[in-house]
Amino acid sequence: MKIYEKSTKLDHVCYDIRGPIMDEADRMNAAGIEILKLNIGNPAPFGFRAPEAVIEAMKEQLTNTEGYSDSKGLPAAREAILEYCKSKNMPNVTLDDIYTGNGVSELITMSMQGLLNPGDEVLIPSPDYPLWTASVTLAGGTAVHYICDEEQEWYPDIQDMRSKITDKTKAIVVINPNNPTGSLYPKEVLEQIVQLARENELILFADEIYDRLVMDGLEHVALASLAPDLMTVSFNGLSKSHLLAGYRCGWMCLCGDKTRAQGYIEGIKLLSSMRLCSNVPAQSLIPAALSCREETEKLLVPGGRVYEQRECIYNALAEIEGLSVVKPKAAFYMFPKIDVKRFHITDDERFVLDFLRDKHILFTHGGGFHWEQPDHFRIVYLPDCNVLSKAAESLKDFLSYYQQNV
């Protein structure tokens, strides 16, 4: 293929970085139109700030972190991560099993590049965090989407998962807490997923970056803690829980029984070394961040900002005719359902685009998360309650007259 030809490899991968909606948002911005961006989980524009102790740690460490680190990361950072793994009962993790990354996104891509050959399949949830599907596709594999059931709190449909496992399946991806639904999976559901992996000798990939953003007195269960006899690759980071999205600070841990994955692990080591190392100043924040989680916890209880914003937007959406939504238990996303018959909607991307043009508010359409029906969209509820209330009023007004195909 000539280098100037358009690649079609990712044509079927819906990812909200680009596309008609973002192109239109950019055009409107360039024209001076102010847009409320409820499409991306970026805390900084909405007044969230990193804990002061973390910022102070960066100031102190900055002049000591000017060179490359070990390709896996600073020893102090990995030691702090190891202690966190122990607190989550994640089995058989050593310092050598921990890799820091420029955010979790880099590590997800690396983990798929090291695993997949052409034709290999990976089970990924629908709806998903779309980078997983993109990373599988870029690595030459095939993403097979299993359904998460809205009628059952958006938990994975175990029977659907079972029906989609073939002799080409290499792994199961579990995103818990889930983006885009905000669902938190109970131990019983996770145990069923582990059993599927056990029966079919599959690797588990656990995307758990929202595990410290859990509400309603619930607790997150690490997937690896339920699978000591399997290999689980667990991902986490500071972007969300410590409001450090721009610092690009994530990690990946190899957990459980790794005896049958030595070739894969050697591939991961090679890929890690090829990029030299992740951002060293960002790595230096990890010990301080993992030792001060109180500020995040205060956001998640009644009176805390994230908790109150969830209540605000959930109650406002519940009052809009033609919408329904499952109340999230974690993260800062909601995935409302539209009555497509009421509004004659056949194209969710067009719905979001029409709303953007009319009300200057940006959502992400459900198709961007590999949800096949045109009946969902994601809202990020990071703005304060006044902003969220106004956004809900705009949506209510829009739906009072909107008809897509009449």
Side-chain angles (χ1 to χ4, degrees), residues 103-304:
V104 168
S105 297
E106 177 190 45
L107 295 168
I108 288 173
T109 300
M110 184 188 300
S111 72
M112 292 297 102
Q113 289 175 335
L115 178 70
L116 299 176
N117 292 312
D120 288 342
E121 297 177 351
V122 178
L123 293 192
I124 296 175
S126 174
D128 70 342
Y129 176 56
L131 180 69
W132 278 105
T133 295
S135 294
V136 168
T137 304
L138 281 168
T142 300
V144 178
H145 293 100
Y146 64 84
I147 297 298
C148 296
D149 187 355
E150 187 170 17
E151 299 299 318
Q152 299 294 324
E153 299 282 341
W154 285 115
Y155 299 157
D157 184 327
I158 302 299
Q159 293 307 313
D160 188 60
M161 294 178 74
R162 186 184 299 277
S163 72
K164 290 174 177 174
I165 295 174
T166 72
D167 58 0
K168 297 179 180 179
T169 307
K170 297 290 291 289
I172 300 175
V173 173
V174 179
I175 305 173
N176 177 47
N178 185 265
N179 175 13
T181 66
S183 177
L184 177 70
Y185 302 159
K187 182 179 179 181
E188 295 74 19
V189 170
L190 297 175
E191 287 175 332
Q192 293 179 70
I193 296 173
V194 167
Q195 184 58 29
L196 278 182
R198 185 176 289 127
E199 292 170 2
N200 294 277
E201 299 183 345
L202 304 177
I203 296 177
L204 290 165
F205 289 87
D207 184 342
E208 299 180 331
I209 195 167
Y210 298 97
D211 72 336
R212 295 178 295 279
L213 288 167
V214 174
M215 292 173 273
D216 303 329
L218 301 172
E219 291 187 9
H220 174 267
V221 176
L223 187 64
S225 70
L226 305 176
D229 57 322
L230 303 177
M231 181 169 173
T232 301
V233 185
S234 179
F235 301 84
N236 215 313
L238 303 180
S239 291
K240 310 303 182 180
S241 64
H242 287 74
L243 314 172
L244 291 167
Y247 288 65
R248 310 313 297 135
C249 187
W251 59 83
M252 173 177 75
C253 304
L254 311 183
C255 316
D257 184 358
K258 299 179 278 287
T259 56
R260 291 174 293 175
Q262 292 307 305
Y264 175 50
I265 293 171
E266 287 305 312
I268 291 295
K269 289 180 180 178
L270 176 61
L271 290 168
S272 176
S273 298
M274 286 171 62
R275 49 98 211 228
L276 296 181
C277 66
S278 65
N279 183 302
V280 182
Q283 291 180 46
S284 72
L285 303 177
I286 293 174
L290 289 181
S291 66
C292 68
R293 301 200 289 267
E294 297 82 3
E295 290 190 41
T296 299
E297 292 168 358
K298 291 176 183 177
L299 298 172
L300 304 170
V301 295

Side-chain angles (χ1 to χ4, degrees), residues 363-392:
F363 297 147
T364 305
H365 65 294
F369 303 99
H370 297 98
W371 185 254
E372 292 187 356
Q373 302 302 317
D375 57 357
H376 282 78
F377 61 97
R378 189 187 74 170
I379 295 177
V380 175
Y381 56 88
L382 283 169
D384 63 38
C385 287
N386 289 333
V387 174
L388 289 172
S389 295
K390 291 177 181 177

